[in-house]
């Protein structure tokens, strides 16, 4: 349920109104101050709330029952775009366009530091790199784990770029203590215990869409994180499985404007895992900008042919630079600023 309050409602009145709702109906309340509205989101079992009684309060302008199962991530609860701040000078959402780039997996110090310096020069403001790799085969390279995270930290120290890396289990959380953004991969999108655990972390979470998940399921996973207390969620559309065999996955372009319409969370697009082919990354990136995405996450490798993971879809730093130049030209046409 959302209750819009009159614009002249004082902070004391908002506090008293919220407390009374929580006390009388055993619900949780979150207040969002939009550009031209004060929205009180009511979560929990709202069936017992008597609309007439609430409507009679002098501070209330309107009441709407929210049909969607996602509440905290629903734009109705928070009309303005959420902006996720990642350290100094880097943010996701709110009119800027963010480039996240780096290798699929961290391989060695030279590799990650070299790629980090290149992508930074091209305009990336976040460095990605997998230390724990969810592989289809148990015999494939699984990532360098804690050591990989350490190499990622070194690359951060050398370049100043904040880092994002994938967590696979709650037990790994202590290793991620100073990782700037914690990634939940497609395969773990519905690992609800992991999501609840990340809801208690005070750090941004990059949540990737599951391989065969609907948009609503995707948003419900974000809701798990938000409902547990962490509203710093960045969504990532990375393609879904379809009958098509000419691409690794099918980039669901329509998910971007749909999510922008129904949710206030920022959404970035990963064209690398969607396409699985280097030459498709540029056109999919352009499509993502046109559809309203807040950024891109692209796999970049100095030597794709010898990469330990996902070399087939990785692009070189030079190719990434060319795409970044096009992003610089195209993003402003679609209302985004790219510094
Ligand atoms: C990744 O980004 O490294 C990754 C494994 O992607 P996904 O979870 O989308 O398959
Ligand atoms: Mn990969």
């Amino acid at each position: 349920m959302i209750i819009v309050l009159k614009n002249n409602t004082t902070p004391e009145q908002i506090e008293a109104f919220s407390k009374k709702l929580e006390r009388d109906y055993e619900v949780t309340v979150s207040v969002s101050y939009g550009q031209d509205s004060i929205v009180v989101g009511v979560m929990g079992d709202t069936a017992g709330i008597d609309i007439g009684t609430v409507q009679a309060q002098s501070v209330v302008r309107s009441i709407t029952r929210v049909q969607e199962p996602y509440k905290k991530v629903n734009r109705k609860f928070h009309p303005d775009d959420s902006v996720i701040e990642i350290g100094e000078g880097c943010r996701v959402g709110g009119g800027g366009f963010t480039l996240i780039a780096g290798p699929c997996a961290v391989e060695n110090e030279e590799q990650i530091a070299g790629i980090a310096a290149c992508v930074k020069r091209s305009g990336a403001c976040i460095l990605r790199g997998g230390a724990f790799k969810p592989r289809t085969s148990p015999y494939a390279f699984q990532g360098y784990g804690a050591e990989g995270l350490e190499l990622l930290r070194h690359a951060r120290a050398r370049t100043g770029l904040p880092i994002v890396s994938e967590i696979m289990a709650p037990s790994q959380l202590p290793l991620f203590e100073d990782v700037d953004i914690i990634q939940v991969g497609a395969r773990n999108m519905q690992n609800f215990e992991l999501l609840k655990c990340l809801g208690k972390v005070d750090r941004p979470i990059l949540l990737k869409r599951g391989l065969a998940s609907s948009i609503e399921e995707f948003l419900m996973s974000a809701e798990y994180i938000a409902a547990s207390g962490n509203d710093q969620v960045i969504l990532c559309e990375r393609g879904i499985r379809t009958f098509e065999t000419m691409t690794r996955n099918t980039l669901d372009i329509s998910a971007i404007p749909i999510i922008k319409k129904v949710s206030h969370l920022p959404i970035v697009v990963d064209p690398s895992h969607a396409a699985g082919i280097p030459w498709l990354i540029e056109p999919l990136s352009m499509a993502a900008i046109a559809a309203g995405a807040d950024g891109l996450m692209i796999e970049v490798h100095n030597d794709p042919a010898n990469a330990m993971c996902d070399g087939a879809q990785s692009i070189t730093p030079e190719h990434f630079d060319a795409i970044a130049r096009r992003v610089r030209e195209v993003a402003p046409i679609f209302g985004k600023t790219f510094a």
Side-chain angles (χ1 to χ4, degrees):
M1 172 182 285
I2 57 171
I3 304 171
V4 180
L5 301 185
K6 291 179 184 159
N7 279 351
N8 59 0
T9 311
T10 65
E12 294 74 29
Q13 286 174 309
I14 297 171
E15 168 91 5
F17 177 75
S18 306
K19 286 260 147 60
K20 185 166 163 48
L21 274 178
E22 291 190 321
R23 208 178 40 240
D24 291 356
Y25 300 107
E26 289 182 26
V27 289
T28 18
V29 161
S30 80
V31 184
S32 154
Y33 298 86
Q35 247 165 10
D36 46 23
S37 59
I38 304 165
V39 177
V40 177
V42 189
M43 265 93 38
D45 184 7
T46 58
I49 299 182
D50 180 50
I51 302 262
T53 310
V54 179
Q55 185 75 74
Q57 311 290 309
S58 61
V59 295
V60 173
R61 190 163 84 194
S62 65
I63 305 176
T64 322
R65 285 210 183 269
V66 175
Q67 305 300 335
E68 297 86 8
Y70 44 93
K71 312 288 181 191
K72 291 201 126 178
V73 306
N74 198 315
R75 197 177 271 286
K76 288 177 186 161
F77 276 61
H78 188 291
D80 295 340
D81 285 350
S82 277
V83 182
I84 315 293
E85 305 278 349
I86 328 279
E88 266 171 56
C90 181
R91 52 215 314 247
V92 183
F97 196 80
T98 310
L99 285 188
I100 307 170
C104 181
V106 179
E107 298 175 10
N108 57 61
E109 178 145 21
E110 205 188 336
Q111 174 241 20
I112 188 68
I115 296 171
C118 290
V119 299
K120 183 182 179 179
R121 236 177 284 129
S122 301
C125 87
I126 300 168
L127 174 66
R128 65 149 286 146
F132 295 95
K133 294 306 306 174
R135 304 304 298 277
T136 302
S137 164
Y139 308 115
F141 173 58
Q142 305 283 307
Y144 285 127
E147 200 189 319
L149 288 177
E150 194 52 31
L151 295 175
L152 208 48
R153 285 188 198 99
H154 280 166
R156 172 176 63 190
R158 283 165 71 161
T159 57
L161 289 178
I163 53 177
V164 55
S165 199
E166 177 169 352
I167 193 169
M168 283 174 48
S171 60
Q172 293 167 349
L173 202 52
L175 294 171
F176 283 74
E177 219 155 54
D178 64 346
V179 171
D180 303 283
I181 306 175
I182 304 176
Q183 177 172 325
V184 176
R187 289 153 193 81
N188 265 318
M189 189 204 83
Q190 286 189 316
N191 181 340
F192 300 119
E193 287 309 312
L194 180 61
L195 301 178
K196 282 191 256 182
C197 162
L198 294 174
K200 302 204 168 63
V201 169
D202 184 22
R203 227 116 21 91
I205 309 298
L206 179 84
L207 177 68
K208 300 192 82 174
R209 182 172 177 184
L211 279 73
S213 300
S214 67
I215 294 171
E216 187 167 289
E217 287 164 341
F218 189 19
L219 290 170
M220 287 310 287
S221 289
E223 185 79 12
Y224 258 95
I225 301 170
S228 301
N230 185 357
D231 52 15
Q232 301 176 79
V233 181
I234 302 162
L235 301 170
C236 178
E237 163 60 43
R238 46 78 74 203
I240 48 172
R241 187 166 283 189
T242 68
F243 52 79
E244 183 53 67
T245 56
M246 289 179 78
T247 49
R248 181 173 178 183
N249 290 289
T250 296
L251 182 64
D252 184 5
I253 277 290
S254 34
I256 304 157
I258 291 172
I259 284 173
K260 296 303 283 184
K261 185 174 162 68
V262 303
S263 174
H264 53 86
L265 296 177
I267 177 164
V268 300
V269 166
D270 169 353
S272 302
H273 290 88
I277 320 167
W279 68 264
L280 252 187
I281 300 196
E282 180 169 329
L284 294 188
S285 298
M286 296 302 114
I289 297 173
D294 297 291
L296 294 166
M297 178 156 88
I298 298 180
E299 284 189 347
V300 177
H301 198 283
N302 52 313
D303 183 9
N306 290 301
M308 295 175 81
C309 188
D310 281 351
Q313 70 196 26
S314 297
I315 59 172
T316 60
E318 295 73 31
H319 190 168
F320 178 72
D321 190 62
I323 293 177
R325 283 171 200 273
R326 289 222 60 206
V327 169
R328 194 159 276 119
E329 284 166 19
V330 173
I333 299 172
F334 293 94
K336 293 284 196 299
T337 51
F338 176 57

